[in-house]
Amino acid sequence: MGRILGIDLGTTNSVMAVMEKNGAVIVPNSLGERITPSVVGFTKSGEILVGKKAKRAAIMNVGRTVFSIKRHMGTNYRVRIEGKEYTPQEISAMILQKLKQDAEDYYGEEVNQAIICCPAYFTDAQRQATKDAGEIAGLKVRRIIDEPTSSSLAYGMDKGEDQVILVYDFGGGTFDVSIIEVVSGVFQVLAIQGNTHLGGDDFDKRIVEFLVDEFKKAHGIDLSEDPIAMQRLKEAAEEAKIELSEVKESHILVEAITMTEKGPLSLDYTMTRQKLESLVMDLIELTRSPVNQAIEDAALSLDKIDTILLVGGTTRIPAVQRLVKEITKKESRRDISPEEVVALGGAVQSLALAPIEGDIEDTLAARYGREKPVVIHMTPFSLGVGLEHDQYSVIIERNSTYPTEAKDIFTTTRDFQEAISFPIYEGEEQIASENTFLDLLRIEGITPAPRGVPRVEVTFRLNPDRILEARAEDLATGVEKKITIAATDARLSESEKQRMVKEAKDRVSSMLRDRIQENRVEEAQSILSRAEGVLTSHSGHPMVSSLKTKTNELRTLMQEGGDEKKLGETLDEVNRLVTIMETAAG
């Protein structure tokens, strides 16, 4: 069956994990690091950088570097680079493709399956866009799983005890809170709340705005008008935020951030933890209401919640930890890295999707007391259709477990009507248009009859990825219409998706060719160094002339970028001559 990656496709950073014999483990990237920045950069030469390389080069690629694309998933947002537009799915696919390639390099084999984790409060369109991104990257997406649920798998299964878990997940761009009950190894989601537009990025923005204001007061210069200065400030703000989770003061120094007639000016400011908290406390407070609402939705009192899990890098901030303790009256668990726990849980979830080798299965059964995890998910939004006079008819209720199916019967409002359109919405408002519009389900070919006579059955099915499939059927004729929902503005056509898949494959092929070329160049440089040593120490050898000719030919091929076959043949010949001369000398 092959390995299945558990992937936390994060706003700020992404992480991948797999299930091994002794449990879930993090898979390092090509730099040997456990976390990969979710950053994509486009150089002037046309190279696409992903991860740490893209983040480091951001100052040189201002206007050509993409951060926090996850915030735009499921929307019609486009990134425009050098005249070409990229969808959020394409940019996300580049990040996923990087993770896939790094995993393949690490294991030395193809890795083409994944469970991708996303915020529990992601809408149907955002989940579909996430799945599309995985498919564009060349991954078979086995499941889209909620991040809080994934986190509880990483924690809860190790303990093997019944408990109620509150997962407070505060990442770079999103906030979720889920309450999950674990009974005999079965994980049932009881409540979900959140905010898909609140995260650590907002904290960074507050720090940057403050520093811009302070600099303007001191020097009369508005740094916000300088893109390069703003990128440098953004990096400095993020570093200060992270540092202030551990210490009480952070010295922010950005040298020569701008030029004046008198020379360069630097930004120099010492930020205290107290000052940071004053800048962001209102953002932290925005998480209080969702937590309280989730507890109310779960119909639980605080004393019934056994475990509080903190997930996401933003939970490292002491003020966040204090707020959670104030609300829950309990200490939180942080014994698994908040940046890694989601991916680890995704790897655990892979046990439910594929057969595993016997020795691994035996070990896991002994460790967990069962072979595979069982998760009962819940949707945080109601799903329904809009009717005449902007009425909203809910078909799948909020907090329903899924996968699930529900249906209702509707009829015509005009005599001899031959078609009915059902606008599909997601939300809790009684007025249909005040909810989030997802798509339009239209059935044609209804047998003409007086109004109120035709009976059209509308069926909603939430699949295991919590992606909505809708069907309308005229019960008299059997005529039906089916659609899989995606936000109209964000939907990719099949031809668009195939184009993106092809471009992604071409990028991988190009990357592999470049990697082979780099290895060839390194090998050639090493051989040339050996050849120079042999020519110096064995100038009287009869093969000196042949070696000089071939080394000069090799240098020319390297400089001119000669064809791969010729380069390889020449490299082999130089290596052969050097080896003969070294052996003879020995």
Side-chain angles (χ1 to χ4, degrees):
M1 180 62 71
R3 290 181 171 86
I4 301 178
L5 286 177
I7 297 178
D8 176 10
L9 181 61
T11 306
T12 308
N13 296 298
S14 293
V15 187
M16 55 182 169
V18 298
M19 207 66 189
E20 299 283 9
K21 183 174 181 178
N22 294 320
V25 297
I26 297 296
V27 181
N29 61 23
S30 60
L31 300 176
E33 297 174 344
R34 298 165 72 88
I35 293 174
T36 299
S38 300
V39 182
V40 177
F42 300 78
T43 67
K44 289 182 179 179
S45 64
E47 183 181 5
I48 296 177
L49 306 175
V50 180
K52 197 168 187 178
K53 286 183 179 179
K55 191 172 182 179
R56 283 176 172 172
I59 293 173
M60 302 301 296
N61 283 314
V62 172
R64 295 193 302 275
T65 301
V66 185
F67 295 87
S68 305
I69 194 64
K70 182 174 177 177
R71 286 192 153 187
H72 301 288
M73 293 296 274
T75 72
N76 62 353
Y77 176 83
R78 297 291 184 270
V79 175
R80 191 172 183 83
I81 308 288
E82 300 293 341
K84 182 175 180 179
E85 288 190 343
Y86 297 89
T87 66
Q89 293 97 315
E90 286 178 282
I91 299 296
S92 297
M94 293 174 188
I95 299 167
L96 291 169
Q97 197 172 48
K98 161 72 172 166
L99 298 177
K100 178 180 185 293
Q101 188 63 52
D102 286 353
E104 291 177 341
D105 290 346
Y106 183 77
Y107 286 109
E109 63 185 39
E110 185 178 17
V111 180
N112 57 13
Q113 301 179 82
I115 292 171
I116 304 178
C117 307
C118 72
Y121 224 61
F122 252 20
T123 64
D124 186 273
Q126 290 169 310
R127 300 173 83 88
Q128 182 65 61
T130 301
K131 188 172 185 179
D132 285 345
E135 292 173 353
I136 292 166
L139 290 165
K140 180 179 180 181
V141 181
R142 299 295 302 275
R143 186 72 78 245
I144 300 294
I145 184 174
D146 294 344
E147 291 168 3
T149 306
S150 182
S151 302
S152 72
L153 286 172
Y155 273 100
M157 285 195 70
D158 279 340
K159 294 303 176 185
E161 61 187 34
D162 294 351
Q163 57 187 307
V164 175
I165 304 170
L166 185 150
V167 184
Y168 181 99
D169 184 352
F170 207 172
T174 59
F175 168 72
D176 276 323
V177 57
S178 292
I179 297 178
I180 301 163
E181 183 179 39
V182 184
V183 178
S184 300
V186 176
F187 293 72
Q188 178 160 4
V189 181
L190 302 180
I192 298 171
Q193 283 290 324
N195 186 334
T196 57
H197 295 282
L198 175 65
D201 284 358
D202 300 297
F203 291 40
D204 298 343
K205 184 179 178 182
R206 289 287 178 86
I207 299 171
V208 169
E209 290 171 347
F210 172 76
L211 294 174
V212 167
D213 288 343
E214 289 296 298
F215 195 85
K216 189 172 183 179
K217 290 175 186 175
H219 305 287
I221 297 173
D222 187 357
L223 295 176
S224 66
E225 298 177 355
D226 182 346
I228 294 178
M230 290 299 287
Q231 179 57 40
R232 295 179 69 193
L233 270 184
K234 182 180 183 300
E235 293 177 3
E238 184 181 8
E239 289 176 6
K241 178 190 68 178
I242 293 170
E243 191 174 21
L244 286 169
S245 293
E246 304 295 332
V247 299
K248 293 187 177 181
E249 286 188 354
S250 177
H251 184 207
I252 303 173
L253 176 61
V254 185
E255 296 182 337
I257 194 168
T258 189
M259 292 293 295
T260 68
E261 294 178 356
K262 296 181 180 180
L265 282 177
S266 299
L267 184 146
D268 192 344
Y269 183 83
T270 298
M271 178 167 283
T272 64
R273 182 184 291 176
Q274 183 179 13
K275 182 61 185 179
L276 171 63
E277 291 180 359
S278 72
L279 293 174
V280 302
M281 190 54 71
D282 63 314
L283 298 177
I284 297 173
E285 279 291 334
L286 288 176
T287 69
R288 183 188 295 271
S289 178
V291 173
N292 288 332
Q293 186 62 55
I295 294 170
E296 182 180 332
D297 289 346
L300 294 173
S301 56
L302 284 175
D303 63 302
K304 298 298 183 183
I305 297 175
D306 304 296
T307 306
I308 312 296
L309 304 184
L310 296 185
V311 178
T314 307
T315 63
R316 292 187 182 276
I317 296 174
V320 172
Q321 296 170 11
R322 290 199 305 271
L323 179 79
V324 176
K325 184 176 181 180
E326 178 190 332
I327 297 171
T328 64
K329 315 300 182 189
K330 288 181 173 65
E331 293 290 345
S332 303
R333 284 186 58 183
R334 301 189 300 275
D335 41 305
I336 298 180
S337 166
E339 291 89 357
E340 297 178 358
V341 64
V342 170
L344 290 169
V348 173
Q349 173 68 8
S350 70
L351 293 177
L353 301 177
I356 49 182
E357 297 175 9
D359 58 342
I360 297 180
E361 183 171 320
D362 294 342
T363 301
L364 294 173
R367 182 177 181 186
Y368 298 136
R370 61 185 300 114
E371 293 178 8
K372 298 180 179 182
V374 176
V375 180
I376 302 174
H377 299 281
M378 171 182 289
T379 174
F381 306 106
S382 296
L383 294 156
V385 296
L387 304 176
E388 196 174 36
H389 307 305
D390 211 10
Q391 297 178 77
Y392 182 42
S393 178
V394 172
I395 295 179
I396 293 181
E397 298 281 352
R398 172 175 169 266
N399 289 342
S400 296
T401 59
Y402 68 90
T404 189
E405 183 174 288
K407 56 188 66 177
D408 202 351
I409 303 292
F410 299 93
T411 189
T412 53
T413 57
R414 299 190 308 277
D415 291 337
F416 308 111
Q417 189 174 331
E418 297 183 20
I420 303 179
S421 294
F422 295 98
I424 299 174
Y425 293 97
E426 184 175 60
E428 315 311 317
E429 301 299 328
Q430 293 183 350
I431 298 174
S433 59
E434 292 182 1
N435 294 295
T436 300
F437 173 72
L438 295 181
D439 212 328
L440 185 69
L441 174 63
R442 180 175 173 81
I443 181 171
E444 299 177 342
I446 299 172
T447 302
R451 64 179 181 176
V453 173
R455 299 175 72 240
V456 176
E457 183 179 74
V458 174
T459 303
F460 278 10
R461 179 180 180 272
L462 275 181
N463 69 20
D465 293 322
R466 212 184 84 204
I467 292 171
L468 179 62
E469 300 162 1
R471 182 180 79 247
E473 179 184 0
D474 179 2
L475 296 180
T477 64
V479 171
E480 67 174 23
K481 174 68 176 178
K482 297 179 183 179
I483 59 172
T484 297
I485 307 303
T488 304
D489 291 341
R491 176 189 292 156
L492 297 178
S493 68
E494 193 58 35
S495 61
E496 285 178 310
K497 189 185 292 188
Q498 290 307 313
R499 171 185 62 78
M500 294 175 187
V501 169
K502 182 180 183 303
E503 289 178 356
K505 288 180 178 178
D506 290 344
R507 282 195 299 272
V508 170
S509 298
S510 176
M511 180 183 66
L512 291 175
R513 287 195 299 271
D514 290 345
R515 188 176 298 173
I516 291 170
Q517 182 66 17
E518 288 172 5
N519 291 339
R520 282 288 194 188
V521 169
E522 289 178 4
E523 185 181 357
Q525 290 172 339
S526 176
I527 291 296
L528 286 173
S529 178
R530 285 173 59 201
E532 289 172 2
V534 167
L535 289 171
T536 300
S537 58
H538 303 88
S539 56
H541 196 284
M543 289 187 175
V544 164
S545 178
S546 297
L547 182 57
K548 283 183 177 179
T549 299
K550 285 298 178 181
T551 54
N552 288 335
E553 185 179 332
L554 181 58
R555 286 192 182 94
T556 300
L557 287 168
M558 290 171 63
Q559 291 169 358
E560 296 179 353
D563 76 37
E564 186 66 27
K565 182 179 179 182
K566 184 65 174 174
L567 179 65
E569 290 173 349
T570 306
L571 182 60
D572 290 343
E573 181 61 16
V574 172
N575 188 38
R576 186 183 72 83
L577 292 170
V578 168
T579 301
I580 291 172
M581 293 176 67
E582 288 176 336
T583 303

